[in-house]
DNA sequence: CCCGGAAACT
DNA sequence: AGTTTCCGGG
């Protein structure tokens, strides 16, 4: 089933899987918080303050009381409530703003509404410091004043007829690739997603992309999570609010979102609304109509095809060929990225049954082998071996990724995440928990997912070291002041077990199903960012390795700059910390500054992780391929 | 205050 | 799954 026949492409079922959990229809704390936040009446109790998404609980007891009332838990208190809040850390829904009492920050990145594909995430310029949130009004308003009214899963949108299955699929697919799609757990998503599945169309909106992706900008799909629609629960009588915000489809979040949106600083990306929408969008409102939606979807579809938004999807469609961009110059054109993805996707492994031959068809300019990474990891034991090594060699641009994916780290549990901006990262949890992993090089993290990448990285590092060129390695230059790591990564279910399930398994990835088969491996999302002069031009005939290194370094740097997201798992974090210690680095003062360690950059391979790694690899590979060709 | 593990509850 | 409850530790 992965790919059903279809006019266009169909994504495998697993791709459509609702990312979320079935359903907890009960109000969730974060929803509740958002509700309070958007109501002026509660401004004295809780309010947006500070950075995007940052809010302060001015009256903890009161908030707790309200929450307790809502949940019928009279014994609720701030201590308990805060514990619940803490559980969001790992879910990436929230972060603690360190140093500020009672202050937390939403990771809105992930919260973007699915329903509101048109949202302009910032019209490109979202100042990072956007107003904390305009609680009241302000620009941050989400287009439809009541999203719920407009988009939330409702009828209007739902005209099934309008959206072809393809479109729908596309949308979904894109969604999936988005960060969370893969993932899964975002509660956010679940809020809306699950129920809908049946509804179909709604989901389609989730991933919509702007029709035209600016080359420069990278585009991403934002999985949104906000509204909860579907079978909606009735407003609870308990609700403190006269009118229960939640109830409406998507109601709750509506206002809230705005902040969210605004918050999500998506630096690089400028999300361009569909043409028709754009103008309106800019304003705070936009009108939505089916025609627009149709166009939008079409565009989206195209985008998907062309840009291969959904890496995963592509895996299944190895045959898809993307036109090569014509771009002689060294700089990395977005096009490349775009193109790359597909290739990678179509990898043999993934294809497995699908006839790997086809993939080979791609002319791969060069082939090279990486040295096998030093093994010795504990992991190996458990069958992980399977994956292994093979990954070390790759051919052509695409394959790398595939192989890596296919190979997949044995026992690692990966939690993919979203991708939005750099923020997103994948969480990886190494089940085997070997510390060793990490320590050997910093990179483990990134590699987890794609061993290849890691290896690659390793090599590079080694190489660099040899050359005495460490600087370029992965150190992330930037140091955000203290940004919390906003990443948002949502966890994804597990990785493919053994063998198999690699993403593309023709046999059906999901196959089993069970669980989330969404193995989201690392799907490299590709960010099409324009990297204007950043990238140092790479001369064409440099040895591959070097080039790779350079590329890698550069990319890393860039990414680091972009953000260090760090959404790591605690475990990961812990590992890192350990590593850090081992390494003996003196940290900067904070030790862990926030979840996101500043250190990360230096020490670890930016946790950017797989996704990044993958994309990096893809990119690099692709580029190299091209370059090489020249040689 | 804040953090997170553990266990229980729904 | 998402808390709620309890709690030791920083």
């Amino acid at each position: 089933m992965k790919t059903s026949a279809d006019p266009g492409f169909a994504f495998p079922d697993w791709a459509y899987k609702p990312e979320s959990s079935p359903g907890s229809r009960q109000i969730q704390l974060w929803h509740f918080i958002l509700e309070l936040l958007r109501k002026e009446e509660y401004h004295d109790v809780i309010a947006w303050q500070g950075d995007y998404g940052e809010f302060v609980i001015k009256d903890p007891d009161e908030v707790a009381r309200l929450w307790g009332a809502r949940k019928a838990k009279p014994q609720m208190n701030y201590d308990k409530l805060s514990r619940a809040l803490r559980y969001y850390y790992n879910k990436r829904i929230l972060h603690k703003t360190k140093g500020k009492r009672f202050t937390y920050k939403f990771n809105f990145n992930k919260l973007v509404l699915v329903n509101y594909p048109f949202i302009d995430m910032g019209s490109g310029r979202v100042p990072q410091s956007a107003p904390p949130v305009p609680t009241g009004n302000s620009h941050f308003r989400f287009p439809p004043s009541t999203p719920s009214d407009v988009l939330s899963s409702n009828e209007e949108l739902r005209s099934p007829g309008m959206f072809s299955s393809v479109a729908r699929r596309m949308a979904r697919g894109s969604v999936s690739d988005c960060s969370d799609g893969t993932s899964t757990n975002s509660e956010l998503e679940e809020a809306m997603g699950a129920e809908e599945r049946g509804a179909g169309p709604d989901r389609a909106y989730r991933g919509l992309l702007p029709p035209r992706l600016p080359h420069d900008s990278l585009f991403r799909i934002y999985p949104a999570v906000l509204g909860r629609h579907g079978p909606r629960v009735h407003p609870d009588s308990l609700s403190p609010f006269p009118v229960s915000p939640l109830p409406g489809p998507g109601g709750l979040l509506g206002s809230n979102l705005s902040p969210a949106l605004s918050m999500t600083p998506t630096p690089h990306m400028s999300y361009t609304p569909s043409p028709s929408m754009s103008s309106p969008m800019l304003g705070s409102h936009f009108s939505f109509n089916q025609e627009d939606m149709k166009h939008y979807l079409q565009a989206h579809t195209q985008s998907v095809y062309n840009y291969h938004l959904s890496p995963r999807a592509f895996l299944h469609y190895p045959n898809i060929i993307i036109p090569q961009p014509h771009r002689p110059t060294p700089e990395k054109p977005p096009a490349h990225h775009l193109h790359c993805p597909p290739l990678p996707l179509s990898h043999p492994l993934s294809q497995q049954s699908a006839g790997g031959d086809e993939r080979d068809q791609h002319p791969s300019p060069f082939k090279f082998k990486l040295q096998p990474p030093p093994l010795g990891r504990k992991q190996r034991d458990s069958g992980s071996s399977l994956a292994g090594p093979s990954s070390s060699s790759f051919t052509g641009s695409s394959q790398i990724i595939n192989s890596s994916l296919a190979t997949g780290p044995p026992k690692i549990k990966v939690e993919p995440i979203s991708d939005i901006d750099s923020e997103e990262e994948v969480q990886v949890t190494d089940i085997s928990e070997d510390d060793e992993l990490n320590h050997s090089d910093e990179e483990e993290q990134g590699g987890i997912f794609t061993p290849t990448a890691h290896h690659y990285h390793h090599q590079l590092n080694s190489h660099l070291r040899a050359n005495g060129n460490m600087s370029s390695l992965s150190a992330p230059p930037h140091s955000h002041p203290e940004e919390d790591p906003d990443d948002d990564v949502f966890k994804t279910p597990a990785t493919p077990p053994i063998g198999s399930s690699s993403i593309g398994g023709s046999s059906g990835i999901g196959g089993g199903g069970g669980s989330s088969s969404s193995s989201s491996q690392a799907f490299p999302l590709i960010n099409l960012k324009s990297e204007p002069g950043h990238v140092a031009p790479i001369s064409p005939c440099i040895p591959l390795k070097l080039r790779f290194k350079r590329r890698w370094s550069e990319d890393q740097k860039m990414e680091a700059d972009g953000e260090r997201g760090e959404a790591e798992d605690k475990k990961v974090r812990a590992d890192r910390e350990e590593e850090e210690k081992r390494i003996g680095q003196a940290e900067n003062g904070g030790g862990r500054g926030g979840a996101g360690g500043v250190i990360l950059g230096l020490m670890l391979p930016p946790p950017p992780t797989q996704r990044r790694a993958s994309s990096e690899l893809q990119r690099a590979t692709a580029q190299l391929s091209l370059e090489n060709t020249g040689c």
Side-chain angles (χ1 to χ4, degrees):
Chain A
M1 310 229 334
K2 19 166 170 234
T3 61
S4 41
D6 42 283
F9 301 92
F11 294 109
D13 292 358
W14 55 267
Y16 304 127
K17 176 173 123 278
E19 327 16 77
S20 52
S21 57
S24 52
R25 292 187 167 71
Q26 275 234 310
I27 185 170
Q28 289 185 298
L29 179 56
W30 68 271
H31 283 330
F32 180 79
I33 296 290
L34 245 23
E35 273 185 35
L36 293 180
L37 248 13
R38 79 170 193 174
K39 299 263 181 178
E40 303 216 3
E41 328 68 299
Y42 298 99
H43 282 1
D44 291 336
V45 178
I46 185 173
W48 294 110
Q49 196 172 92
D51 276 343
Y52 290 123
E54 219 170 78
F55 64 92
V56 177
I57 295 175
K58 298 174 180 174
D59 186 344
D61 294 333
E62 180 60 10
V63 172
R65 189 187 65 74
L66 291 168
W67 175 233
R70 185 62 154 289
K71 296 286 295 290
K73 293 284 178 185
Q75 305 305 311
M76 183 54 59
N77 58 33
Y78 179 72
D79 183 59
K80 292 169 186 171
L81 181 150
S82 66
R83 180 69 191 86
L85 250 25
R86 272 179 246 130
Y87 272 122
Y88 287 142
Y89 298 171
N90 284 331
K91 293 180 173 181
R92 307 285 139 88
I93 292 172
L94 275 185
H95 286 137
K96 179 75 185 72
T97 296
K98 296 202 172 176
K100 293 181 184 176
R101 261 174 41 155
F102 309 124
T103 303
Y104 298 83
K105 185 176 169 186
F106 274 100
N107 277 339
F108 283 107
N109 295 296
K110 309 285 166 124
L111 299 179
V112 177
L113 314 172
V114 177
N115 295 324
Y116 307 92
F118 305 94
I119 293 171
D120 176 343
M121 295 291 284
S123 315
R125 47 138 176 115
V126 176
Q128 300 240 343
S129 54
V133 169
T135 3
N137 22 0
S138 40
H139 15 339
F140 290 115
R141 230 212 292 329
F142 206 43
S145 45
T146 320
S148 41
D149 300 349
V150 179
L151 301 178
S152 49
S153 62
N154 299 320
E155 314 69 32
E156 310 162 0
L157 295 182
R158 291 194 179 217
S159 38
M162 287 298 291
F163 310 94
S164 60
S165 59
V166 173
R168 190 178 305 169
R169 288 178 183 180
M170 293 301 292
R172 287 189 177 192
S174 53
V175 169
S176 60
D177 51 278
C178 289
S179 40
D180 348 18
T182 313
S183 58
T184 14
N185 301 334
S186 49
E187 303 74 340
L188 306 177
E189 295 226 3
E190 57 184 42
M192 67 172 314
E195 311 104 350
E196 319 229 45
R197 336 183 151 215
D202 297 348
R203 291 182 63 75
Y205 297 109
R206 296 173 134 218
L208 299 182
L209 293 181
R212 37 162 189 263
L213 303 178
H215 324 326
D216 314 318
S217 58
L218 66 131
F219 68 94
R220 283 174 159 166
I221 299 172
Y222 293 80
V225 192
L226 302 177
R228 44 161 37 184
H229 326 316
R232 295 187 163 280
V233 180
H234 252 326
D236 333 46
S237 50
L238 295 177
S239 164
F241 306 101
V243 175
S244 153
L246 293 177
L252 264 185
L253 306 179
S255 314
N256 301 323
L257 292 181
S258 10
L261 294 177
S262 57
M263 305 181 147
T264 341
T266 320
H268 38 322
M269 100 160 277
S270 50
Y271 185 93
T272 311
S274 67
S276 56
M277 316 278 311
S278 17
S279 330
M281 284 299 292
L282 297 178
S284 41
H285 290 295
F286 68 80
S287 56
F288 167 88
N289 64 51
Q290 294 193 338
E291 273 304 286
D292 285 342
M293 187 47 104
K294 203 198 259 173
H295 291 307
Y296 194 83
L297 287 175
Q298 287 185 343
H300 180 244
T301 300
Q302 271 213 296
S303 300
V304 172
Y305 290 127
N306 296 334
Y307 298 88
H308 125 274
L309 296 179
S310 170
R312 287 175 169 182
F314 282 88
L315 288 176
H316 300 287
Y317 303 91
N319 296 327
I320 296 170
I321 295 172
I322 295 171
Q324 283 275 329
H326 18 322
R327 39 163 319 228
T329 58
E331 64 176 82
K332 314 173 175 182
H336 265 66
H337 303 124
L338 297 176
H339 301 288
C340 303
L343 297 177
L345 297 177
S346 58
H347 200 278
L349 294 178
S350 51
Q351 307 279 338
Q352 298 179 355
S353 52
D357 304 342
E358 303 183 347
R359 357 166 187 149
D360 291 355
Q361 296 180 355
H362 294 302
S364 18
F366 64 93
K367 244 181 201 190
F368 60 88
K369 263 186 178 179
L370 290 182
Q371 296 176 356
L375 302 184
R377 306 217 163 181
K378 298 174 182 178
Q379 302 180 344
R380 306 247 163 224
D381 317 11
S382 55
S384 49
S385 48
L386 24 148
S390 54
S391 53
S392 50
S393 69
F394 27 91
T395 322
S397 45
S398 36
Q399 317 220 344
I400 294 170
I401 292 170
N402 289 328
S403 56
S404 55
L405 291 176
T407 306
K411 288 185 168 179
I412 299 168
K413 196 203 247 161
V414 177
E415 306 189 342
I417 304 195
S418 49
D419 357 335
I420 295 182
D421 295 348
S422 36
E423 302 195 2
E424 331 237 17
E425 296 197 347
V426 176
Q427 273 190 342
V428 178
T429 304
D430 179 338
I431 293 173
S432 52
E433 163 268 52
D434 12 3
D435 330 18
E436 303 196 339
L437 263 179
N438 300 336
H439 71 311
S440 55
D441 268 344
E442 356 29 288
E443 9 205 7
E444 297 311 346
Q445 305 236 347
I448 294 171
F449 228 164
T450 47
T452 310
H454 287 303
H455 299 168
Y456 173 64
H457 194 192
H458 259 313
Q459 278 203 330
L460 290 179
N461 283 337
S462 302
H463 206 289
L464 291 175
R465 281 189 202 114
N467 295 342
N469 190 351
M470 300 260 301
S471 58
S472 45
L473 283 184
S474 45
H478 102 246
S479 45
H480 265 323
E482 69 135 6
E483 272 241 342
D484 295 344
D486 308 242
D487 345 354
D488 347 203
V489 177
F490 285 46
K491 318 170 177 175
T492 62
T495 51
I498 303 182
S500 64
S501 49
S502 42
I503 302 174
S506 53
S507 42
I509 296 173
S515 45
S516 36
S517 35
S518 59
S519 45
S520 35
Q521 316 228 348
F523 297 110
L525 274 191
I526 299 173
N527 296 340
L528 307 176
K529 290 177 179 173
S530 55
E531 313 177 356
H534 280 59
V535 179
I538 295 174
S539 57
C541 297
I542 296 173
L544 274 179
K545 273 191 178 180
L546 289 176
R547 285 204 222 161
F548 264 102
K549 287 187 210 164
R550 283 176 81 171
R551 194 38 128 248
W552 181 270
S553 302
E554 289 174 5
D555 288 347
Q556 298 246 318
K557 232 188 253 171
M558 294 199 50
E559 292 182 358
D561 277 352
E563 346 187 347
R564 81 189 70 266
E566 12 323 298
E568 308 171 318
D569 227 5
K570 330 168 171 187
K571 291 180 182 179
V572 173
R573 239 187 280 156
D575 288 347
R576 268 192 203 168
E577 288 184 3
E578 284 190 9
E579 242 194 63
E580 292 174 2
K581 289 177 184 176
R582 285 181 193 166
I583 290 173
Q585 279 233 353
E587 308 190 341
N588 355 359
R592 46 146 86 187
V598 172
I599 313 161
L600 295 177
L602 299 178
M603 329 225 95
L604 310 168
T609 39
Q610 41 184 49
R611 210 186 41 201
R612 251 179 217 165
S614 307
S615 46
E616 296 301 340
L617 285 175
Q618 287 185 347
R619 234 195 265 168
T621 311
Q623 184 130 16
L624 286 176
S625 300
L626 291 176
E627 291 173 2
N628 241 331
T629 305
C631 297

